[in-house]
Amino acid sequence: MIFAVPLAWLQLTYEKSRLLVAIAGITFAVVLMFLQLGFRDALFTSAIRLQSNLVGDLVIISPQSTNLVGMRNFSQRRLYQALGMKEVDSVNPVYIGLGAWKIKEDPAGQTRNILVLGANPDAKVFKMSGAEANIDHVKTQDVVLFDRASRAEFGPIVGECGTLALKAKFTDDAFACNNLVTREVANRKLTIGGLFELGASFAADGAVITSDTNFLRIFDSRRSGLINVGLINLKPDASPYEAMRNFILSQPSDHVILPREKLQPDGKRVQILYKESIDANGKLIREENKDKVFVYKTDLTVEDLKKTQDAAVDDTRILTMEGYIDFEKGYWQKSTAIGFIFSLGTVMGFIVGIVIVYQILYTDVSDHLAEYATLKAMGYGNLYLAQVVIQEAFVLSILGFIPGLGISFGLYNLTKNATLLPLYIWDKAIPVMILTMVMCVISGAISLRKVQSADPAEIFG
């Protein structure tokens, strides 16, 4: 019945200018929500691009690592220890570093940091498009593969390779470098042997892949055997959680540290972890660690590892690939302000929309208070009048959402082309539409008090 009443539409369209102002306000709130949700999702999607393109079932990193560009070194001996386990098929070390890419087109010789990935080219550890087809090129000294989805500031590498016309394609020819193209990274002259596609992120604007040997030539201060990521490939029928537990049991330490977010202390098996520090007066301060718990490894179960996907023991941290992805997401969501800011922006857009729609509906009700009182005098109850106001709110939500979607689509494409971030709008269309409807209905519900106060006796008395 609520959608069969035309009164709400007639009232909204009675004053065209007010309706346009209302639509503009709601459109602004819709665009704000779209952009904030889009930037937040682009942050997380771009942050895990590399992790999602690594070949492996389990990952070993240093417990001191924070995120992709904050990976600490650890000894590859820890990784090769895993080869002795019955579940393990192979292991592959990966080196990660940031190198200063000299921008050839800049007369001042400006540099820009680029992500450098090093691995054994015979191991085939990268799943990115173009990587497998061109990986053999990096066996040659000082040859790298360049990420064709890197930001334009690194120079027209794709154009110099002669494949600019094929940039939108994913054939082997599209990832070839047909000309001699050289650049300097970390003061070392390198040759572009081919292309691959990964994409920019908030942490790194571009990337290159090379062999482990070439990586150590580029970063000549790095010691061979001190790696950043260890990839473990399991046998077909092996359980990753059993393999994690067996790896932990093989380490010297008698306890294992687990993320508290997924495993709460119970005072018995799962213990509280404390942090100790010294204050300015030299006094020892012991504080409860809100992020981690510990379990004696003899009490560690496979179920614990299924919950956490993540465990640290001695000088290593072992994770499932899902846990490694969550590790990177968690850094951007909890350890930086960026994730919070984008989430807050979405909430603010929602609140701004509620205020705008409330002001419009409240003014409309106030201007038509005599008409509402007349309807009451004719026998219409508060429920009918409430339906009219809620229907107005619902219609406003649709009228504001449609242009908001169109404007956001244009802004997404503009931002995507400028930043190369993965911005996709259609998976957010339905959630934002629902948020817009809820926003407008809440405003309508707040405005109902004014409708219910319409008293025929006061108006016509």
Side-chain angles (χ1 to χ4, degrees):
M1 177 181 178
I2 183 172
F3 298 105
V5 181
L7 179 59
W9 175 253
L10 294 174
Q11 290 202 151
L12 284 175
T13 56
Y14 181 72
E15 292 190 27
K16 303 286 192 301
S17 59
R18 180 183 294 170
L19 176 61
L20 291 176
V21 170
I23 292 174
I26 297 169
T27 298
F28 171 77
V30 169
V31 170
L32 185 57
M33 288 190 290
F34 263 122
L35 290 181
Q36 297 301 316
L37 286 173
F39 290 150
R40 189 195 65 174
D41 287 355
L43 166 66
F44 296 140
T45 302
S46 65
I48 63 171
R49 275 172 163 167
L50 175 61
Q51 290 83 349
S52 302
N53 281 284
L54 294 175
V55 178
D57 300 299
L58 297 177
V59 179
I60 294 179
I61 61 175
S62 166
Q64 298 176 348
S65 296
T66 55
N67 71 318
L68 176 62
V69 295
M71 301 300 292
R72 299 295 182 261
N73 305 335
F74 69 97
S75 174
Q76 68 179 5
R77 290 197 303 269
R78 293 296 193 194
L79 176 63
Y80 286 113
Q81 285 177 359
L83 272 177
M85 299 192 305
K86 61 182 180 180
E87 298 92 349
V88 175
D89 183 50
S90 64
V91 298
N92 296 305
V94 178
Y95 294 89
I96 299 176
L98 283 176
W101 173 285
K102 187 176 180 179
I103 301 174
K104 184 179 179 180
E105 295 73 23
D106 191 320
Q110 184 182 1
T111 62
R112 192 178 190 92
N113 280 341
I114 192 167
L115 187 68
V116 183
L117 307 171
N120 181 355
D122 292 323
K124 306 290 193 275
V125 301
F126 301 112
K127 295 189 290 186
M128 293 86 83
S129 298
E132 185 174 353
N134 291 317
I135 197 67
D136 285 342
H137 293 303
V138 304
K139 294 178 180 179
T140 305
Q141 181 174 330
D142 294 333
V143 172
V144 300
L145 307 182
F146 180 77
D147 178 13
R148 70 176 187 178
S150 298
R151 288 180 59 84
E153 287 82 354
F154 292 103
I157 305 298
V158 179
E160 291 183 34
C161 284
T163 54
L164 186 60
L166 302 174
K167 192 172 182 180
K169 297 184 178 180
F170 289 84
T171 61
D172 289 348
D173 291 342
F175 291 103
C177 191
N178 302 316
N179 303 314
L180 177 63
V181 181
T182 61
R183 288 296 190 274
E184 284 187 28
V185 177
N187 296 319
R188 190 175 185 89
K189 187 177 180 181
L190 302 176
T191 300
I192 309 299
L195 305 172
F196 69 98
E197 182 162 315
L198 180 63
S201 70
F202 281 77
D205 293 330
V208 294
I209 292 175
T210 191
S211 66
D212 47 359
T213 305
N214 282 331
F215 182 95
L216 294 172
R217 290 192 182 107
I218 298 170
F219 300 95
D220 52 12
S221 61
R222 289 280 295 268
R223 284 172 47 201
S224 175
L226 290 180
I227 62 174
N228 301 106
V229 175
L231 301 174
I232 300 176
N233 297 296
L234 301 178
K235 294 176 181 177
D237 298 328
S239 164
Y241 308 108
E242 288 284 357
M244 285 178 71
R245 185 172 182 275
N246 289 338
F247 178 83
I248 292 167
L249 292 176
S250 69
Q251 302 305 306
S253 178
D254 63 349
H255 65 276
V256 56
I257 298 173
L258 304 168
R260 186 166 178 169
E261 179 184 7
K262 300 178 181 178
L263 193 66
Q264 293 297 316
D266 57 12
K268 298 178 182 178
R269 193 176 61 87
V270 183
Q271 304 290 325
I272 295 173
L273 191 66
Y274 291 94
K275 296 186 290 186
E276 294 184 349
S277 60
I278 306 294
D279 65 10
N281 299 319
K283 184 179 178 181
L284 179 66
I285 300 176
R286 196 164 182 257
E287 297 178 313
E288 184 175 329
N289 192 319
K290 301 296 184 182
D291 301 320
K292 300 173 183 177
V293 294
F294 81 91
V295 175
Y296 288 104
K297 68 181 186 182
T298 53
D299 296 329
L300 182 68
T301 66
V302 169
E303 292 301 318
D304 294 335
L305 298 173
K306 285 182 179 179
K307 290 179 182 177
T308 62
Q309 311 277 329
D310 179 357
V313 59
D314 290 326
D315 58 350
T316 55
R317 182 174 179 179
I318 185 168
L319 313 93
T320 62
M321 190 57 73
E322 180 183 344
Y324 186 39
I325 290 173
D326 290 342
F327 157 77
E328 187 72 22
K329 280 185 179 179
Y331 170 80
W332 292 102
Q333 192 167 18
K334 300 172 186 176
S335 300
T336 68
I338 301 177
F340 173 77
I341 289 171
F342 290 149
S343 298
L344 180 63
T346 305
V347 174
M348 291 306 299
F350 186 79
I351 294 173
V352 166
I354 289 177
V355 173
I356 291 172
V357 178
Y358 169 73
Q359 291 290 340
I360 296 296
L361 291 177
Y362 184 85
T363 303
D364 181 78
V365 170
S366 298
D367 289 349
H368 296 90
L369 201 59
E371 286 84 347
Y372 283 116
T374 302
L375 289 171
K376 276 193 173 182
M378 294 170 61
Y380 289 96
N382 284 331
L383 179 61
Y384 175 79
L385 300 182
Q387 288 178 344
V388 173
V389 175
I390 295 298
Q391 188 180 23
E392 284 188 44
F394 181 78
V395 171
L396 284 174
S397 70
I398 300 299
L399 294 178
F401 175 78
I402 294 173
L405 176 63
I407 293 172
S408 299
F409 181 78
L411 291 174
Y412 267 48
N413 286 333
L414 180 66
T415 307
K416 185 177 180 179
N417 292 333
T419 65
L420 300 180
L421 290 173
L423 286 163
Y424 307 104
I425 195 169
W426 298 115
D427 61 329
K428 300 168 190 65
I430 293 178
V432 172
M433 183 174 68
I434 293 173
L435 281 174
T436 306
M437 291 179 179
V438 171
M439 173 183 77
C440 292
V441 169
I442 290 175
S443 302
I446 299 173
S447 305
L448 289 179
R449 294 181 61 185
K450 188 67 177 178
V451 176
Q452 293 170 350
S453 68
D455 187 348
E458 292 182 4
I459 299 296
F460 303 109

